[in-house]
Every structure is written in C-alpha cells, then in structure tokens.
Amino acid sequence: MVTALENDPDYRQLLRDAGLRVTPQRASIVTILSETDDHPNVEDLYEKARALDDTVSVATVYRTMSVLENAGLVRKLVMDDAPARYEMMPHTDHDHLVDVDSGDLVEIPGTEIAELMGRVAAELGYQIVSHHTVIRARKT
C-alpha cells in the first residue's frame, strides 16, 4: 500500500537521517503525527494508521512510537492516569496545558514560562538544556 508519506521525500529522509529503516508502517505513523495538532494517543494513531495501511497492528504502533521516541523524532507526553500522547519533536520548546475535566491538551506558545524557568535555574546555578512543562488546569 502506498501512503502519503511514501511520496514525500522529506519525511522519508527524516526517518533515514535518524538512522531508521523506512517501512510503510513507520511512514504512515510519521505522516499522521506530522499532519495533526491534536496530540494523539496510541489508539488514535492506530485507528488513523489503519485507514492508511491495513497491515498496521496496535503492537506495531507501540513499537514504532518507542523507536521514534528513542530516535528523538517524537515527544511522549505523559499525563497522570491518561494514556500517553505524542507529538512530533517540536523545533522549539513549548509547554502544554491539560484540561483536567475534558482531557483537552493545549499548546502554550510564547517564552514567558521558559524565561521564568531560566531565571530560577540561573539563581540555583544551572542553565536549562531543554524543558517541557505540563500545566493541569480547570476552566473557570
């Protein structure tokens, strides 16, 4: 089966540059992650991947996510007791806000949080290498 990714040399090269073999299943999953902004969990990825490639299994998605995370291509977002969610590794650090009632995940743009953390780290004698903050909140 030919997926959208298999026709896009940039995505194929992304996998190769990470030292990974390009398989149809990996291609499907990277395509989905690259084209979504909703931070899917494994079940979401599985459903979407099956629509592109009916050879994909849940086990394949779990293995692929682990491989992509270890290769530095995706970020795993762990939210308390909820299933882990994923995003392509962002070009710049950003933070997330999780609505504790609905489970909605919102990206927080801007630099205010990073600047505050940088000042706190500097006061303690550290320099931040990277960061990721998850704020749990409830709408008022």
Side-chain angles (χ1 to χ4, degrees):
M1 166 174 255
V2 176
T3 66
L5 177 67
E6 290 174 334
N7 294 321
D8 188 329
D10 291 336
Y11 290 150
R12 293 174 66 83
Q13 194 59 47
L14 180 73
L15 291 167
R16 285 189 195 103
D17 289 348
L20 302 176
R21 191 167 50 94
V22 179
T23 65
Q25 295 83 4
R26 287 179 184 168
S28 296
I29 291 168
V30 171
T31 296
I32 293 162
L33 283 170
S34 296
E35 295 176 355
T36 188
D37 59 359
D38 65 350
H39 305 84
N41 61 34
V42 167
E43 289 299 322
D44 297 331
L45 287 166
Y46 169 69
E47 290 175 18
K48 292 175 181 179
R50 289 284 295 185
L52 293 174
D53 180 349
D54 61 3
T55 68
V56 174
S57 69
V58 172
T60 297
V61 176
Y62 274 106
R63 281 192 306 273
T64 299
M65 296 316 299
S66 178
V67 167
L68 295 175
E69 182 184 7
N70 289 335
L73 295 177
V74 301
R75 177 187 286 172
K76 182 178 185 178
L77 306 170
V78 180
M79 315 293 168
D80 295 329
D81 295 332
R85 294 165 78 171
Y86 296 89
E87 67 180 349
M88 290 300 292
M89 187 58 75
H91 296 291
T92 59
D93 283 329
H94 63 270
D95 301 292
H96 293 90
L97 181 139
V98 177
D99 183 312
V100 296
D101 295 321
S102 70
D104 289 344
L105 184 66
V106 178
E107 288 187 5
I108 302 172
T111 60
E112 292 86 7
I113 294 173
E115 290 170 0
L116 174 61
M117 288 190 295
R119 284 196 306 273
V120 170
E123 289 172 9
L124 297 171
Y126 290 91
Q127 179 181 13
I128 295 176
V129 175
S130 69
H131 81 277
H132 178 240
T133 303
V134 177
I135 299 170
R136 290 154 185 82
R138 177 173 286 127
K139 282 193 174 185
T140 56

